[in-house]
Amino acid sequence: MRLAGAVLLAACALALVATGAPLLVYSITLAVFGLPHVLVELRYVDERFRLRISRPLLILFGSLLAGIVSLRVMSFTNAASWPFAELELLLVIALVAAAGLAVRGGSIARALSMLTAMTFLAGALLAPLATLVLLAVLHNLTPIGFLAEALRGPERRRALLLCGVAFGVVPLVLLSGAAEALLASFVGIHLDASPFAMGGLHDHLGAFVPATWQSRSFGIRLFTVAAYLQCLHYAVVLYVLPRLSGADESESAWPAWSTFRLLVAALAGVFLIGFAVSFGEARAVYGFFAAVHAWVELPILLIALGGLGAAAHERKA
């Protein structure tokens, strides 16, 4: 209970800081923890799920992800005037559909995969850029699925209850404007505060807020919620997931954790310098790594949740 109280207190404090200085929270956490969390999450996914996925499916996933990265590179270099957002979403749909065929949780898990694919297809046809932006926000909720897959019994119920408050209730409070009004009355709101030369908050709303919403009154609140959820995502990935992988370090294809942490810290230092020199360019380069880890999570989570469905079916039988 003490741990749960401490977690909720920390989440509330973080929510207030994100409300008071959303660009500051977004920029610092991205620059410091962005790449480390990508590398740690990729290691977690590999160690926990690689043996559950057939080699042909791994090759298919790898090919589709390579296609996504290639599109990001071409978009970054302006090598072609293609509909990059639509093409990326089509490759993501292929990832989800492949996962739907691979899940072993029965009709419900496959139906969820197909529903997800159809939702993405609708987004690709109607508003591809807005869909990618919203997926960037929703991606921050993926640790909930990993916790549900890794934990069991009362431990899982406690974790999901905490997630419901931290990832659900607190963001709703932020969207209501209550925290914003409270801070404005006492310490003020510092929308453009940041240690980096990166412009103001309105220059970066597009990272989390679709273009049609950026001029609306709730646009800044949406960005605040996304910055807050980004911090929660980083915290769970960097602190909790490594303890749940269940991998034998001596049999892992990855370096020992002591060596891995040093390598991650070194790469993080290089990226931090890059963000300090040019935040925009460093953010674009980081986008290549972020795309791989974000999109690989979708099929993996669908397969993992399908496994939960299969386990529940086996228990009933």
Side-chain angles (χ1 to χ4, degrees), residues 146-162:
F146 286 132
L147 291 175
E149 186 278 331
L151 300 175
R152 295 290 182 271
E155 194 175 27
R156 178 196 287 170
R157 289 192 290 272
R158 286 193 295 269
L160 293 182
L161 179 60
L162 276 175

Side-chain angles (χ1 to χ4, degrees), residues 94-252:
L95 278 170
V96 172
L101 297 175
V103 294
R104 59 185 184 89
S107 58
I108 294 178
R110 287 197 173 91
L112 177 61
S113 299
M114 293 304 107
L115 178 62
T116 303
M118 287 188 291
T119 301
F120 289 174
L121 179 59
L125 295 174
L126 299 175
L129 289 175
T131 301
L132 285 175
V133 170
L134 289 175
L135 288 175
V137 177
L138 294 175
H139 159 72
N140 289 314
L141 304 180
T142 53
I144 301 174
F146 286 132
L147 291 175
E149 186 278 331
L151 300 175
R152 295 290 182 271
E155 194 175 27
R156 178 196 287 170
R157 289 192 290 272
R158 286 193 295 269
L160 293 182
L161 179 60
L162 276 175
C163 286
V165 176
F167 284 88
V169 175
V170 174
L172 290 176
V173 172
L174 293 181
L175 284 175
S176 73
E180 184 180 348
L182 177 66
L183 284 180
S185 301
F186 290 95
V187 297
I189 305 295
H190 307 281
L191 296 179
D192 298 327
S194 176
F196 302 102
M198 57 184 297
L201 176 61
H202 286 277
D203 298 317
H204 297 274
L205 284 178
F208 295 130
V209 184
T212 54
W213 295 354
Q214 291 177 23
S215 60
R216 304 206 179 172
S217 58
F218 56 82
I220 292 176
R221 292 178 192 167
L222 284 175
F223 186 94
T224 298
V225 168
Y228 161 79
L229 290 175
Q230 175 177 280
C231 294
L232 290 189
H233 181 99
Y234 290 169
V236 175
V237 168
L238 292 171
Y239 183 74
V240 180
L241 291 189
R243 293 164 169 76
L244 299 177
S245 72
D248 186 341
E249 189 169 331
S250 63
E251 298 178 358
S252 175

Side-chain angles (χ1 to χ4, degrees), residues 257-284:
W257 270 104
S258 56
T259 303
F260 182 70
R261 290 190 183 98
L262 289 176
L263 292 172
V264 169
L267 290 172
V270 172
F271 259 72
L272 181 57
I273 294 171
F275 276 104
V277 173
S278 176
F279 189 92
E281 291 185 3
R283 176 67 180 83

